[in-house]
Amino acid sequence: MEYMTESADRTPGHILCCECGVPISPNPANICVACLRSKVDISQGIPKQVCVSFCKQCQRYFQPPGTWIQCALESRELLALCLKKIKGPLSKVRLVDAGFVWTEPHSKRLKVKLTIQKEVMNGAILQQVFVVDYVVQPQMCGDCHRVEAKDFWKAVVQVRQKTLHKKTFYYLEQLILKYGMHQNTLRIKEIHDGLDFYYSSKQHAQKMVEFLQCTVPCRHKASQRLISQDIHSNTYNYKSTFSVEIVPICKDNVVCLSPRLAQSLGNMNQICVCIRVTSAIHLIDPNTLQVADIDGSTFWSNPFNSLCHPKQLEEFIVMECSIVRDLKRSAGAGMISKKHMLGEVWVQKTSEMNTDKQYFCRTHLGHLLNPGDLVLGFDLANCNLNDEHVNKMNSDRVPDVVLIKKNYDRTKRQRRRNWKLKELARERENMDTDDERQYQDFLEDLEEDEAIRKNVNIYRDSTIPVESDTDDEGAPRISLAEMLEDLHISQDATGEEANMWASASFQAYAN
């Protein structure tokens, strides 16, 4: 504690302290610093020990009246929170400086060193330095209470898709991770035909539904159930349920459009291939390369189904392939794909290599196929198609074979894949080998389709050595330029950054 006086133009003489008689320079109180210290304590009324609530689950501190904030140790934000705990008593003095005194991170103690000034005894300004000890008490916040309870939720979003392949869900999962739409969920539960997202408020669930409407073609309906009510205050407690149904079409499905819908899309053929599903269903006519996008409202007005099950894909070998250069287009035809080439191919099933049976078809994969290549497709000629639109078509308009994609060695592709994706933390009912196969299909789709890849965060897998972007088979691969580094911020780095802020942190309270 030291004694402060205003400077004078001339050097003053000495006087005797009125308490102990020690010679001192004149001051308004005429008392030496030692006697003034024994008579006046300007820190009186300021608590020397304060309690701070801390939630161990989410690593947040409680800021009255009802806010939980994230603060690093010895950070500017934490110092501001500590000072606000004693804001009332501090308003009677002038705060000059504030800073943390180092303590062990696991000690559950925070020490703040304060420097204050106050005018005492006839205008003398006294400055004092002292330490306030903050005891960190564990207390679970309301959000973590709801997470631990697991049954306490106010709204649930049930996302469903009536299809046998989960490609659309894998794509949707990456979009949710990229835009952080999973941060407000209490928990995520995976069931056999979809996902359930649980929320603590109806507003968060509505925000999720709006996000789904912008990213995938779907429709939704809402319902609510009364849990309790208070007739005196006219308050009601509801649980809300939002049911979201995604269109039952996935990438690589073969579909048959209704004649009315095909005509409205530029006189397309009714048999089309779904090349991707994003915010709309992207279809291509394998006979003409004509493409069309169908949004959710158009689909539900003119619904159609997939003709074949993904497990019905068969392997064919290309015997002959020729590119169709000049194609006569009908009147009113729509947009033609620039990324594909129309080809006429003769193929034979690999399971029928001992026979002479071959199939002729047109395909949108003319730019990829060469004689001897393996390709996956659907054999519609020997398949029982139970579809109302196909049954009404002329049999000459139904192709014998619809080729879907070129087939590569999956084992070699997995071994050379030097990237990875993140996954949502969710509860699973069960996992089987079919789910793993479908996930590998989705990873291959990312390698083959750049349009889908742009919407997904792909991370570099440091465990796989870097190789060239091409291989002997010519299988598509993702370049290093499209990958992100998977960063992990350690606690030490966070602490260093916090210490850098703490040097001027007392200004947070002053502002």
Coordinates of all heavy atoms in Angstrom, one line a residue, residues 73-119:
L73 N -9.1 -20.8 -19.6 CA -8.4 -20.3 -18.3 C -7.6 -19.1 -18.6 O -6.9 -19.0 -19.6 CB -7.5 -21.5 -17.8 CG -8.3 -22.6 -17.1 CD1 -7.3 -23.7 -16.7 CD2 -9.0 -22.1 -15.9
E74 N -7.7 -18.1 -17.6 CA -6.9 -16.9 -17.7 C -7.2 -16.1 -19.0 O -6.3 -15.4 -19.5 CB -5.4 -17.1 -17.6 CG -5.0 -17.8 -16.3 CD -3.5 -17.9 -16.0 OE1 -2.8 -17.3 -16.8 OE2 -3.1 -18.5 -15.1
S75 N -8.4 -16.2 -19.5 CA -8.8 -15.5 -20.7 C -9.5 -14.1 -20.3 O -9.8 -13.9 -19.1 CB -9.8 -16.3 -21.5 OG -11.0 -16.5 -20.8
R76 N -9.6 -13.3 -21.3 CA -10.2 -12.0 -21.1 C -11.7 -12.2 -20.7 O -12.2 -11.4 -19.8 CB -10.1 -11.2 -22.4 CG -10.7 -9.8 -22.3 CD -10.4 -9.2 -23.7 NE -10.9 -7.8 -23.7 CZ -10.8 -7.0 -24.7 NH1 -10.2 -7.4 -25.8 NH2 -11.3 -5.7 -24.7
E77 N -12.4 -13.1 -21.3 CA -13.8 -13.3 -21.0 C -14.0 -13.8 -19.6 O -14.9 -13.4 -18.9 CB -14.4 -14.3 -22.0 CG -14.5 -13.9 -23.4 CD -13.1 -13.9 -24.2 OE1 -12.2 -14.5 -23.6 OE2 -13.0 -13.3 -25.3
L78 N -13.1 -14.7 -19.1 CA -13.2 -15.3 -17.8 C -12.9 -14.2 -16.7 O -13.6 -14.1 -15.7 CB -12.2 -16.4 -17.6 CG -12.3 -17.2 -16.2 CD1 -13.7 -17.7 -15.9 CD2 -11.3 -18.3 -16.2
L79 N -12.0 -13.3 -17.0 CA -11.7 -12.2 -16.1 C -12.9 -11.3 -16.0 O -13.2 -10.8 -14.9 CB -10.5 -11.4 -16.5 CG -10.0 -10.3 -15.7 CD1 -9.7 -10.8 -14.2 CD2 -8.8 -9.6 -16.2
A80 N -13.5 -11.0 -17.1 CA -14.7 -10.1 -17.1 C -15.8 -10.7 -16.3 O -16.5 -10.1 -15.5 CB -15.2 -9.9 -18.5
L81 N -16.0 -12.1 -16.4 CA -17.0 -12.8 -15.6 C -16.7 -12.7 -14.1 O -17.6 -12.5 -13.3 CB -17.1 -14.2 -16.1 CG -18.2 -15.1 -15.4 CD1 -18.7 -16.1 -16.5 CD2 -17.6 -15.9 -14.2
C82 N -15.4 -12.9 -13.7 CA -15.0 -12.8 -12.3 C -15.3 -11.4 -11.8 O -15.7 -11.3 -10.6 CB -13.6 -13.2 -12.2 SG -13.2 -14.9 -12.5
L83 N -15.0 -10.4 -12.5 CA -15.1 -9.0 -12.0 C -16.6 -8.7 -11.9 O -17.0 -7.9 -11.0 CB -14.4 -8.0 -13.0 CG -12.9 -8.1 -13.0 CD1 -12.4 -7.1 -14.0 CD2 -12.3 -7.9 -11.7
K84 N -17.4 -9.2 -12.7 CA -18.9 -8.9 -12.6 C -19.5 -9.6 -11.4 O -20.5 -9.1 -10.9 CB -19.6 -9.4 -13.9 CG -19.3 -8.6 -15.1 CD -20.1 -9.1 -16.3 CE -19.8 -8.2 -17.5 NZ -20.4 -8.7 -18.8
K85 N -18.8 -10.6 -10.8 CA -19.3 -11.2 -9.6 C -19.2 -10.3 -8.4 O -19.9 -10.4 -7.4 CB -18.5 -12.5 -9.3 CG -18.7 -13.6 -10.4 CD -20.1 -14.3 -10.3 CE -20.2 -15.2 -9.1 NZ -21.4 -16.0 -9.1
I86 N -18.3 -9.3 -8.5 CA -18.1 -8.4 -7.4 C -18.3 -6.9 -7.9 O -17.7 -6.0 -7.4 CB -16.7 -8.5 -6.7 CG1 -15.6 -8.4 -7.8 CG2 -16.6 -9.9 -6.0 CD1 -14.2 -8.4 -7.2
K87 N -19.1 -6.8 -8.9 CA -19.3 -5.5 -9.5 C -19.9 -4.4 -8.5 O -19.5 -3.3 -8.5 CB -20.2 -5.6 -10.7 CG -20.3 -4.3 -11.6 CD -21.1 -4.6 -12.8 CE -21.2 -3.3 -13.7 NZ -21.9 -3.5 -14.9
G88 N -20.8 -4.9 -7.7 CA -21.4 -4.0 -6.7 C -20.4 -3.3 -5.8 O -20.3 -2.1 -5.7
P89 N -19.7 -4.1 -5.0 CA -18.7 -3.5 -4.1 C -17.6 -2.7 -4.8 O -17.1 -1.7 -4.3 CB -18.1 -4.7 -3.4 CG -19.1 -5.7 -3.4 CD -19.8 -5.5 -4.8
L90 N -17.2 -3.1 -6.0 CA -16.2 -2.4 -6.8 C -16.6 -1.1 -7.3 O -15.8 -0.2 -7.6 CB -15.7 -3.3 -8.0 CG -14.7 -4.4 -7.7 CD1 -14.3 -5.1 -9.0 CD2 -13.4 -3.8 -7.1
S91 N -17.9 -0.9 -7.4 CA -18.4 0.4 -7.8 C -18.1 1.6 -6.9 O -18.1 2.7 -7.2 CB -19.9 0.4 -8.1 OG -20.6 0.1 -6.9
K92 N -17.7 1.3 -5.6 CA -17.4 2.3 -4.6 C -16.0 2.7 -4.6 O -15.6 3.7 -3.9 CB -17.8 1.8 -3.2 CG -19.3 1.4 -3.1 CD -19.6 0.8 -1.7 CE -21.0 0.4 -1.6 NZ -21.3 -0.2 -0.2
V93 N -15.1 2.0 -5.4 CA -13.7 2.4 -5.5 C -13.4 2.5 -7.0 O -14.2 2.2 -7.9 CB -12.8 1.3 -4.9 CG1 -13.1 1.3 -3.4 CG2 -13.0 -0.1 -5.5
R94 N -12.2 2.9 -7.3 CA -11.7 3.0 -8.7 C -10.8 1.8 -9.0 O -9.8 1.6 -8.3 CB -10.9 4.3 -8.9 CG -10.4 4.5 -10.3 CD -9.5 5.7 -10.4 NE -8.9 5.8 -11.8 CZ -7.9 6.5 -12.1 NH1 -7.4 7.3 -11.2 NH2 -7.5 6.6 -13.3
L95 N -11.2 1.0 -10.0 CA -10.3 -0.1 -10.4 C -9.2 0.3 -11.3 O -9.5 0.9 -12.4 CB -11.2 -1.2 -11.1 CG -10.5 -2.4 -11.6 CD1 -10.0 -3.2 -10.4 CD2 -11.5 -3.3 -12.4
V96 N -8.0 0.1 -10.9 CA -6.8 0.5 -11.7 C -6.3 -0.6 -12.6 O -6.0 -0.4 -13.7 CB -5.7 1.0 -10.8 CG1 -4.5 1.4 -11.6 CG2 -6.2 2.2 -9.9
D97 N -6.2 -1.8 -12.0 CA -5.7 -2.9 -12.8 C -6.3 -4.2 -12.2 O -6.7 -4.3 -11.1 CB -4.1 -2.9 -12.6 CG -3.5 -3.9 -13.6 OD1 -4.2 -4.4 -14.5 OD2 -2.3 -4.2 -13.5
A98 N -6.3 -5.2 -13.1 CA -6.8 -6.5 -12.7 C -6.1 -7.6 -13.6 O -5.9 -7.4 -14.8 CB -8.3 -6.7 -12.9
G99 N -5.8 -8.7 -13.0 CA -5.1 -9.8 -13.7 C -5.1 -11.1 -12.9 O -5.3 -11.0 -11.7
F100 N -4.9 -12.2 -13.6 CA -4.9 -13.5 -12.9 C -3.6 -13.7 -12.2 O -2.5 -13.4 -12.7 CB -5.2 -14.6 -13.9 CG -6.6 -14.7 -14.3 CD1 -7.1 -14.2 -15.5 CD2 -7.6 -15.3 -13.4 CE1 -8.4 -14.3 -15.9 CE2 -8.9 -15.4 -13.8 CZ -9.3 -14.9 -15.0
V101 N -3.6 -14.4 -11.1 CA -2.5 -15.0 -10.5 C -2.5 -16.5 -10.8 O -3.5 -17.1 -10.6 CB -2.5 -14.8 -8.9 CG1 -1.3 -15.5 -8.3 CG2 -2.5 -13.3 -8.6
W102 N -1.4 -17.0 -11.3 CA -1.3 -18.4 -11.8 C -1.7 -19.4 -10.7 O -1.2 -19.3 -9.6 CB 0.0 -18.7 -12.4 CG 0.1 -20.0 -13.0 CD1 -0.3 -20.4 -14.3 CD2 0.5 -21.3 -12.4 NE1 -0.1 -21.7 -14.5 CE2 0.3 -22.3 -13.4 CE3 0.9 -21.6 -11.1 CZ2 0.6 -23.6 -13.1 CZ3 1.2 -22.9 -10.9 CH2 1.1 -23.9 -11.9
T103 N -2.6 -20.3 -11.0 CA -2.9 -21.4 -10.2 C -2.9 -22.7 -11.0 O -2.9 -22.7 -12.2 CB -4.3 -21.3 -9.5 OG1 -5.2 -21.1 -10.6 CG2 -4.3 -20.1 -8.6
E104 N -2.8 -23.8 -10.3 CA -2.8 -25.1 -11.0 C -4.2 -25.3 -11.7 O -5.2 -25.0 -11.2 CB -2.7 -26.3 -10.0 CG -1.3 -26.4 -9.4 CD -0.3 -26.9 -10.4 OE1 -0.7 -27.4 -11.5 OE2 0.9 -26.9 -10.1
P105 N -4.2 -25.7 -13.0 CA -5.5 -25.9 -13.8 C -6.5 -26.8 -13.1 O -7.7 -26.6 -13.2 CB -5.0 -26.4 -15.1 CG -3.6 -26.0 -15.2 CD -3.0 -26.1 -13.9
H106 N -6.0 -27.8 -12.3 CA -6.9 -28.7 -11.6 C -7.2 -28.3 -10.2 O -7.8 -29.1 -9.5 CB -6.3 -30.1 -11.7 CG -5.0 -30.2 -11.0 ND1 -3.8 -29.9 -11.6 CD2 -4.7 -30.5 -9.7 CE1 -2.8 -30.1 -10.8 NE2 -3.3 -30.5 -9.6
S107 N -6.8 -27.2 -9.8 CA -6.9 -26.8 -8.3 C -8.3 -26.3 -8.0 O -8.6 -26.1 -6.8 CB -5.9 -25.7 -8.0 OG -6.2 -24.5 -8.7
K108 N -9.2 -26.0 -9.0 CA -10.5 -25.5 -8.7 C -10.5 -24.1 -8.0 O -11.4 -23.8 -7.2 CB -11.4 -26.5 -7.9 CG -11.5 -27.8 -8.6 CD -12.2 -27.8 -9.9 CE -12.3 -29.1 -10.6 NZ -12.9 -29.1 -11.9
R109 N -9.4 -23.4 -8.3 CA -9.3 -22.1 -7.7 C -8.8 -21.1 -8.8 O -8.0 -21.4 -9.6 CB -8.2 -22.0 -6.6 CG -8.6 -22.8 -5.3 CD -9.7 -22.1 -4.6 NE -9.9 -22.7 -3.3 CZ -10.7 -23.8 -3.0 NH1 -11.3 -24.4 -4.1 NH2 -10.9 -24.2 -1.8
L110 N -9.4 -19.9 -8.7 CA -9.0 -18.8 -9.6 C -8.6 -17.6 -8.7 O -9.4 -17.3 -7.8 CB -10.1 -18.4 -10.6 CG -10.7 -19.5 -11.5 CD1 -11.9 -18.9 -12.3 CD2 -9.6 -19.9 -12.5
K111 N -7.5 -17.1 -8.9 CA -7.0 -15.9 -8.1 C -6.9 -14.7 -9.0 O -6.2 -14.8 -10.0 CB -5.7 -16.3 -7.4 CG -5.8 -17.4 -6.4 CD -4.5 -17.6 -5.7 CE -4.5 -18.7 -4.6 NZ -5.4 -18.4 -3.5
V112 N -7.5 -13.6 -8.6 CA -7.5 -12.4 -9.4 C -6.8 -11.3 -8.5 O -7.3 -11.0 -7.4 CB -8.9 -12.0 -9.8 CG1 -8.8 -10.6 -10.6 CG2 -9.5 -13.1 -10.7
K113 N -5.8 -10.7 -9.0 CA -5.1 -9.6 -8.3 C -5.7 -8.3 -8.8 O -5.7 -7.9 -9.9 CB -3.6 -9.7 -8.6 CG -2.8 -8.7 -7.9 CD -1.3 -8.8 -8.3 CE -0.4 -7.8 -7.6 NZ 1.0 -8.0 -7.9
L114 N -6.2 -7.5 -7.8 CA -6.9 -6.2 -8.1 C -6.1 -5.1 -7.5 O -5.5 -5.2 -6.4 CB -8.3 -6.2 -7.5 CG -9.3 -7.3 -7.9 CD1 -10.6 -7.1 -7.2 CD2 -9.4 -7.2 -9.4
T115 N -6.0 -4.0 -8.2 CA -5.4 -2.7 -7.8 C -6.5 -1.7 -7.8 O -7.0 -1.4 -8.8 CB -4.2 -2.3 -8.6 OG1 -3.2 -3.4 -8.7 CG2 -3.6 -1.1 -8.1
I116 N -6.8 -1.1 -6.6 CA -7.9 -0.1 -6.5 C -7.4 1.2 -5.8 O -6.3 1.2 -5.2 CB -9.1 -0.7 -5.7 CG1 -8.6 -1.1 -4.3 CG2 -9.7 -1.9 -6.4 CD1 -9.8 -1.5 -3.4
Q117 N -8.1 2.2 -6.1 CA -7.8 3.5 -5.4 C -9.1 4.1 -4.9 O -10.2 3.9 -5.4 CB -7.2 4.5 -6.5 CG -5.8 4.2 -7.0 CD -5.3 5.2 -8.0 OE1 -6.1 6.1 -8.4 NE2 -4.0 5.1 -8.3
K118 N -8.9 4.9 -3.8 CA -10.0 5.6 -3.2 C -9.6 6.8 -2.4 O -8.5 6.8 -1.8 CB -10.8 4.6 -2.2 CG -12.1 5.2 -1.7 CD -12.8 4.2 -0.8 CE -14.1 4.7 -0.3 NZ -14.8 3.7 0.6
E119 N -10.4 7.8 -2.4 CA -10.1 9.1 -1.7 C -10.5 8.9 -0.2 O -11.6 8.6 0.1 CB -10.8 10.3 -2.3 CG -10.4 11.6 -1.7 CD -11.1 12.8 -2.4 OE1 -11.2 12.7 -3.6 OE2 -11.5 13.7 -1.7

